[in-house]
Amino acid sequence: MTKIKTSKILEFFAILIIMLAVSMTLFSPIPNNIKLIIRVIFIVIFFISWGLFHKKNLTTAKDFAFTFLTLNLAFLIVSFFPSDFWKLQMESSKGFALSKLSDSLIISLVLILSFILVVTS
Amino acid sequence: MKSIYLTKGRLIPGLIIGILVFVVFGYLAITNPQQRIETDFLRKNFVWILIFVFANGFMEELIFRGIFLKKLNRYMKPVWSIILTSICFAAPHLTVNYTPDVLYFFGIVFVLGMICGYAMYYTRSIIAPMLIHAGADLLIILQIFTSYGVID
């Protein structure tokens, strides 16, 4: 009983640390080139994990690996479309809002399409 | 799309809760005595403010809760899933520069995360948490726009 409880606590913290590490890369003020390297590393790690868990038939772990993979992929793709790309004036409310709209559309589209593709395949 | 809460779920309660909280937050943002907002400023920027808060609300609810909550619920009790996603939602807000007291802000964002998480779990949809999130963003975005100033 204690063993099960301990493993559950460990799993909780393992998921928490991975989620924190992934989500912090979106908002933290680290240089973009370092962010890019971190995201590529995450994508490789989660892609390999996804394949591995799929082979071993570990459904929950596979689902988590896939979710983290798509999230990093979305963060990576959105980094190629900064406000400069759309020539937005960030000092204006219009530029500020459209920049957020662009991020939101790209990230949401990548996530939604990835989940649709996996469900239909 | 049910797996990532992109469904109508409990639509009526979701809309009622969401719109109600959005209106309350909107009222608080506009009437906040610490940030006087000119009617002319609101009229000119109204659309862009709404686009910002809804775009951000939808994106962050999908990133921090939508894609995770159902998977986590299969694995642990909903209350732990909501706590976990709320910590992950609040943590990146520690790096913001628009508030002097980041720990206090972390606490507020954590509570907001718990409310949005429960709203998503209860209504089985992203609609209510997105509206609540957008409402809370109104408090911040109006402060940013009025403090730093924007070109109309």
Side-chain angles (χ1 to χ4, degrees):
Chain A
M1 193 72 176
T2 323
K3 231 179 183 178
I4 296 169
K5 238 180 178 176
T6 315
S7 82
K8 277 276 171 199
I9 293 166
L10 284 174
E11 282 162 0
F12 177 88
F13 281 104
I15 296 171
L16 176 71
I17 289 165
I18 297 169
M19 273 182 81
L20 274 178
V22 173
S23 56
M24 286 299 277
T25 59
L26 181 67
F27 296 94
S28 55
I30 46 176
N32 282 340
N33 51 349
I34 296 174
K35 269 189 187 181
L36 195 75
I37 295 166
I38 293 171
R39 272 175 202 144
V40 172
I41 292 170
F42 274 148
I43 286 172
V44 173
I45 290 171
F46 290 123
F47 185 73
I48 293 168
S49 313
W50 183 38
L52 212 72
F53 293 140
H54 184 74
K55 265 185 188 169
K56 292 195 172 181
N57 222 5
L58 297 166
T59 319
T60 311
K62 184 190 83 176
D63 285 353
F64 274 115
F66 176 74
T67 306
F68 285 121
L69 172 68
T70 53
L71 192 57
N72 277 290
L73 196 67
F75 288 172
L76 179 75
I77 292 171
V78 82
S79 65
F80 296 114
F81 300 94
S83 51
D84 301 342
F85 178 85
W86 306 109
K87 295 183 173 56
L88 294 172
Q89 201 182 356
M90 288 303 281
E91 295 80 22
S92 70
S93 53
K94 182 184 174 184
F96 208 61
L98 289 180
S99 164
K100 184 57 79 178
L101 183 66
S102 141
D103 287 356
S104 177
L105 284 176
I106 294 167
I107 289 177
S108 306
L109 218 69
V110 173
L111 291 175
I112 293 166
L113 284 177
S114 306
F115 277 89
I116 288 173
L117 280 174
V118 157
V119 169
T120 52
S121 66
Chain B
M1 284 298 91
K2 273 184 181 175
S3 69
I4 53 172
Y5 289 93
L6 289 179
T7 171
K8 61 180 182 177
R10 290 176 168 158
L11 185 64
I12 304 298
L15 279 176
I16 293 171
I17 295 165
I19 293 171
L20 204 72
V21 177
F22 182 80
V23 170
V24 170
F25 275 134
Y27 176 77
L28 290 173
I30 293 167
T31 56
N32 185 354
Q34 290 174 333
Q35 53 179 47
R36 274 194 56 79
I37 297 155
E38 304 292 328
T39 320
D40 195 43
F41 170 85
L42 259 187
R43 197 170 41 80
K44 279 180 184 165
N45 296 287
F46 180 69
V47 175
W48 303 120
I49 289 168
L50 285 185
I51 286 175
F52 181 93
V53 294
F54 283 117
N56 191 51
F58 181 78
M59 178 183 73
E60 290 193 359
E61 286 308 313
L62 194 62
I63 291 173
F64 291 109
R65 273 174 278 279
I67 59 171
F68 286 109
L69 212 54
K70 210 158 254 181
K71 288 175 192 66
L72 289 168
N73 284 346
R74 288 205 306 246
Y75 206 54
M76 56 184 81
K77 285 180 180 173
V79 64
W80 289 111
S81 310
I82 294 170
I83 289 173
L84 197 148
T85 51
S86 301
I87 296 170
C88 295
F89 171 60
H93 290 85
L94 282 169
T95 59
V96 299
N97 54 9
Y98 46 77
T99 175
D101 195 347
V102 281
L103 277 180
Y104 176 67
F105 189 62
F106 174 89
I108 291 173
V109 177
F110 177 76
V111 173
L112 177 73
M114 292 286 287
I115 294 167
C116 288
Y118 185 72
M120 189 174 276
Y121 172 71
Y122 175 74
T123 63
R124 298 181 207 131
S125 165
I126 201 167
I127 297 168
M130 182 195 70
L131 286 165
I132 296 169
H133 194 141
D137 276 347
L138 278 177
L139 289 163
I140 300 165
I141 197 68
L142 282 178
Q143 196 180 1
I144 292 174
F145 279 7
T146 49
S147 306
Y148 297 101
V150 286
I151 304 162
D152 292 332

